[in-house]
């Protein structure tokens, strides 16, 4: 490795337009994928691979698989079956297949004439005319043209206006460009960084070898490893990617340590008064988290702290105590919630708690009437209001704080790191950076947390408030729905309340709302003496809020909802949670939903309704949720069942999109990543900028580097 700063005349840093055939128009399209330099093409990594090394005889095709087929067109016709479509019948002597096009040009239609020989690729499925491929990739071939039998075909992230074929070509060009002797992609890792990372006795491949491989994996490579993302080449890249993120976050933390924030000493003693006036005593875990927060807030550097606690562990109070400390120091505080419903709920809690200490709390959401928005804005700008709760609308332009010293973000996984940054900039005034408190219910093991949140200090609330009775969970076929209705009837007669969560219909929001409305009608008919309410995502915010308020006040006993109530809703009197089509939901989501009940002293129940037949995976999932209510344990089982990759996606960690690494799958790399980050920060600071630039696009960078 050569040391020294990155030089702009290095080939890898040339703009993509330096490549043959890439003009301004194409450059623009590529920019949408974050590709502006030649090297960006190399680091645009395939999302998956397809095996196109073998032409499959049509007689051997299996529905549901993707395959290359080749044959002669026997018939091509435009048909009208509901929609106008082009049907092409292809035969290879062993059988035939239909190609179906819903979108086609007249040129295309002419080119697909009888007698023409085509090679196609696509997913084979059963159609009305036998096996078919809808919108295959295809091209005309001469007889006896060979297939590329050597390497698997990479599939890249897609963007409009750029075909996979063109992308593959461009990547090939970029690879050729950077091959020695004319060029080389620069390896910024000091060799010690990779020490001890040998795979099965052999060292990890070099950066160039790794890149060459992932873009053109040899067909003889271990495909299992490759598809799972565990191939040494992928691990070499994953290591570097994790390292880049780690460096970026660590720099951010270092930077925060050198920045000035207002020390919040709460001379007015508001925080203590607020805690005194609560109707309950803090758990020792809450008290500990409050102490840690207080300690940070009293310092002259910005706090960057994550409070992690399972659903129902009582994070809101910790936030309120921090807010009181800021207000008691004469400063402003903003709490940002991921949805309007939650903002509203927090506002209600805060409003009640802060009334006891004589402070007003403002609410600010996007759908508020213009007039109340205006007056809230004015009160914020004049400093008359110190505590503001809202959605991300809080940080839109036109809202100015006079003295914002603390930002609280609830359910952090809904916001990205980037949003946190924007928000921080917003509060930056007179050389002072606001403190940040982030609250999340996502259970995350310690080593992962140290990576995903390397810029944050962490407090854990590992204890639930006392007096909770565990929620009883039952799994029932939906044919036993009437028993569930009976159960609700019973609970409500005793003064309790219930939730009924309707299935998520991914294909159509419209259908989802219709189904929810139907369910509401049916339940209202079956339970005529109850007030049945409905909340779903498409209702105007005011309507949702009114319904939630009615539910909270027990004017509504049964609340039918789509999954909008997933996060954070708190109505302790509700003791029954019914979840329809529970077999379709993920474990984390079920856990969150179940967390809505069991918040008071009364015994609660969660009913998981499923539609038979249950797949093995769905059965295992439902069993897991029935058997345990520990968030960490559920996260662990989730990992076992689904395999890594999904649970801690971007959404949940707040880490920017990872291209090749996966925090869970690559956990074993993390200690080495941490060590390498420390080494580079100390001895090779010049590597930081090029590494982070390479892996973290300019738009998502965590603060300026270098
Ligand atoms: P979460 O951590 O999921 O955000 P909340 O802050 O909504 O949890 O708290 C859940 C419920 O527990 C609320 O009704 C809250 O008032 C109550 N609660 C919080 N702390 C305590 C405590 N120390 N003792 C009793 N109840 C508490
Ligand atoms: Mg909460």
């Amino acid at each position: 490795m050569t040391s020294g700063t990155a030089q702009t005349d290095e080939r890898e840093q040339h703009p993509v337009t330096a490549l043959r055939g890439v003009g301004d128009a194409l450059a623009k399209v590529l920019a949408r994928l974050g590709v502006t330099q030649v090297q960006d093409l190399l680091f645009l990594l395939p999302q998956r691979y397809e095996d196109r090394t073998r032409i499959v005889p049509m007689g051997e095709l299996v529905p549901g698989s993707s395959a290359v087929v080749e044959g002669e067109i026997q018939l091509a016709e435009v048909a009208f079956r509901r929609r106008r479509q082009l049907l092409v019948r292809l035969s290879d002597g062993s059988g035939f297949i239909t190609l179906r096009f819903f979108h086609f040009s007249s040129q295309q239609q002419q080119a697909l004439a009888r007698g023409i020989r085509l090679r196609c690729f696509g997913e084979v499925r059963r159609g009305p005319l036998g096996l078919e491929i809808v919108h295959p990739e295809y091209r005309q071939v001469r007889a006896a043209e060979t297939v590329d039998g050597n390497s698997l075909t990479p599939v890249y992230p897609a963007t409009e206006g750029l075909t996979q074929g063109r992308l593959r070509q461009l990547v090939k060009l970029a690879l050729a460009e950077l091959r020695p002797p004319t060029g080389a992609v620069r390896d910024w890792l000091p060799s010690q960084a990779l020490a001890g990372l040998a795979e099965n006795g052999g060292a990890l491949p070099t950066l160039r070898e790794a890149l060459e491989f992932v873009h053109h994996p040899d067909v003889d490579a271990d495909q299992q490893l490759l598809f799972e993302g565990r191939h040494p080449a992928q691990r070499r890249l994953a290591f570097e990617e994790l390292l880049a993120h780690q460096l970026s976050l660590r720099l951010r933390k270092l930077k925060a340590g050198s920045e000035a924030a207002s020390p919040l000493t709460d001379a007015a003693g508001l925080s203590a008064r607020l805690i005194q006036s609560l109707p309950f005593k803090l758990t020792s875990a809450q008290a500990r988290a409050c102490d840690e927060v207080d300690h940070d807030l009293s310092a002259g550097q910005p706090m960057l702290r994550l409070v992690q606690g399972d659903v129902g562990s009582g994070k809101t109070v910790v936030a309120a105590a921090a807010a009181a400390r800021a207000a008691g120091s004469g400063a402003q505080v903003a709490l940002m919630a991921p949805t309007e419903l939650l903002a509203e709920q927090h506002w209600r809690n805060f409003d009640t708690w802060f009334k006891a200490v004589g402070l007003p709390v403002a609410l600010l959401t996007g759908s508020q009437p213009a007039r109340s928005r205006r007056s809230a804005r004015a009160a914020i700008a004049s400093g008359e209001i110190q505590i503001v709760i809202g959605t991300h609308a809080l940080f839109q332009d036109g809202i100015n704080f006079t003295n914002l010293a603390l930002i609280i973000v609830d359910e952090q996984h809904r916001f990205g790191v980037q949003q946190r940054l924007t928000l921080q900039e917003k509060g930056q005034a007179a050389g002072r950076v606001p403190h940040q408190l982030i609250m999340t219910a996502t259970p995350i093991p310690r080593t992962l947390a140290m990576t995903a949140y390397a810029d944050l200090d962490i407090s854990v609330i590992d204890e639930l408030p006392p007096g909770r009775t565990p929620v009883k969970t039952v799994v029932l076929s939906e044919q036993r729905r009437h028993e569930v209705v009976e159960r609700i009837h019973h609970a409500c007669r005793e003064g309790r309340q219930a939730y009924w969560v309707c299935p998520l219909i991914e294909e159509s929001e419209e259908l989802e709302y219709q189904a929810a409305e139907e369910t509401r009608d049916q339940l209202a008919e079956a339970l005529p003496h109850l007030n049945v309410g409905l909340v779903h995502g498409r209702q105007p915010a005011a309507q949702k809020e009114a319904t939630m308020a009615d539910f909270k006040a027990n004017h509504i006993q049964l609340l039918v909802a789509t999954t909008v109530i997933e996060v954070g809703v708190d109505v302790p009197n509700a003791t029954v949670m019914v979840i329809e089509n529970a077999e379709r939901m993920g474990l984390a989501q079920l856990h969150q939903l179940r967390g809505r009940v069991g918040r008071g002293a009364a015994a609660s129940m969660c009913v998981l309704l499923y539609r038979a037949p249950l797949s093995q995976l769905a059965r295992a999932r439902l069993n897991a949720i029935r058997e345990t209510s520990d968030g960490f344990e559920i996260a662990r089982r989730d990992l076992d069942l689904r395999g890594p990759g999904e649970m801690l996606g971007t959404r949940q960690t707040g880490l920017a999109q990872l291209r090749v690494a996966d925090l869970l799958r690559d956990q074993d790399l993390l200690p080495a990543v941490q060590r390498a980050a420390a080494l580079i920060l100390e001895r090779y600071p010049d590597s930081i900028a090029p590494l982070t630039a390479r892996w973290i696009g300019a738009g998502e960078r965590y603060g300026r580097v270098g």
Side-chain angles (χ1 to χ4, degrees), residues 280-283 286 310-317 465-466 468 570 572 599:
F280 46 74
K281 199 170 154 288
L282 295 188
T283 62
Q286 282 171 319
D310 207 346
V311 205
S313 61
K315 296 183 287 293
T316 317
V317 178
R468 301 258 174 96
D570 182 43
R599 303 190 145 226

Side-chain angles (χ1 to χ4, degrees), residues 394-416:
L394 272 179
F395 296 95
Q396 269 147 20
D397 289 333
I399 295 171
N400 293 306
F401 294 85
T402 43
N403 183 15
L404 181 63
L406 170 62
I407 293 167
I408 304 174
V409 186
D410 190 18
E411 303 298 355
Q412 115 101 5
H413 61 268
R414 297 271 172 120
F415 300 102

Side-chain angles (χ1 to χ4, degrees), residues 246-493:
Q246 182 72 12
L247 285 168
S248 184
L249 289 169
R250 291 260 272 251
L251 265 194
R252 198 166 117 68
K253 188 167 184 178
L254 282 178
K255 191 163 153 251
S258 65
E259 282 166 342
S262 311
L264 304 176
T265 50
D266 192 10
L270 211 59
S271 182
R273 262 163 60 212
L274 182 101
I275 291 173
Q276 275 290 302
S277 67
L278 289 173
F280 46 74
K281 199 170 154 288
L282 295 188
T283 62
S284 52
Q286 282 171 319
R288 199 176 50 233
C290 284
D291 282 348
E292 287 164 353
V293 170
D294 283 353
H295 176 84
D296 291 356
L297 289 179
S298 319
Q301 293 84 44
M303 166 174 82
L304 277 173
R305 183 169 289 277
L306 179 80
V307 172
Q308 192 266 316
D310 207 346
V311 205
S313 61
K315 296 183 287 293
T316 317
V317 178
V318 176
R325 172 166 280 268
S329 313
Q332 285 178 311
V333 46
L335 186 158
M336 181 159 87
T339 64
E340 302 212 334
L341 216 57
L342 278 180
E344 162 87 1
Q345 173 182 292
H346 281 317
W347 177 77
R348 271 174 211 285
N349 276 329
F350 272 54
D351 195 53
T352 312
W353 293 336
F354 278 91
K355 267 211 178 86
V357 295
L359 268 192
V361 179
L363 176 69
L364 215 146
T365 64
S367 64
Q368 231 167 5
R371 166 133 28 106
S372 70
R373 230 172 113 80
R374 243 194 327 269
S375 71
R377 261 200 325 234
I380 295 167
S382 73
E384 182 189 331
I385 282 278
Q386 286 182 277
I387 306 171
V388 194
I389 294 179
T391 52
H392 52 271
L394 272 179
F395 296 95
Q396 269 147 20
D397 289 333
I399 295 171
N400 293 306
F401 294 85
T402 43
N403 183 15
L404 181 63
L406 170 62
I407 293 167
I408 304 174
V409 186
D410 190 18
E411 303 298 355
Q412 115 101 5
H413 61 268
R414 297 271 172 120
F415 300 102
V417 174
Q418 194 50 39
Q419 267 161 312
R420 267 203 275 140
L421 278 181
T422 317
L423 189 149
Q424 196 182 34
E425 273 164 26
K426 187 93 192 176
Q428 213 147 354
R432 300 274 166 114
V433 175
H435 298 279
Q436 277 191 59
L437 181 64
I438 292 142
M439 302 190 287
T440 179
T442 306
I444 175 169
R446 203 176 156 71
T447 40
L448 287 199
M450 281 170 59
T451 307
Y453 306 120
D455 59 335
L456 305 174
D457 294 307
I458 301 177
S459 296
V460 180
I461 306 186
D462 51 5
E463 174 186 7
L464 292 181
R468 301 258 174 96
T469 30
V471 180
K472 185 169 173 226
T473 303
V474 293
V475 179
L476 289 182
S477 150
E478 67 157 7
Q479 283 166 338
R480 295 172 64 183
R481 210 181 161 95
H482 56 278
E483 292 172 36
V484 181
V485 172
E486 194 50 40
R487 186 60 83 158
I488 291 174
H489 170 81
H490 202 75
C492 293
R493 208 174 44 202

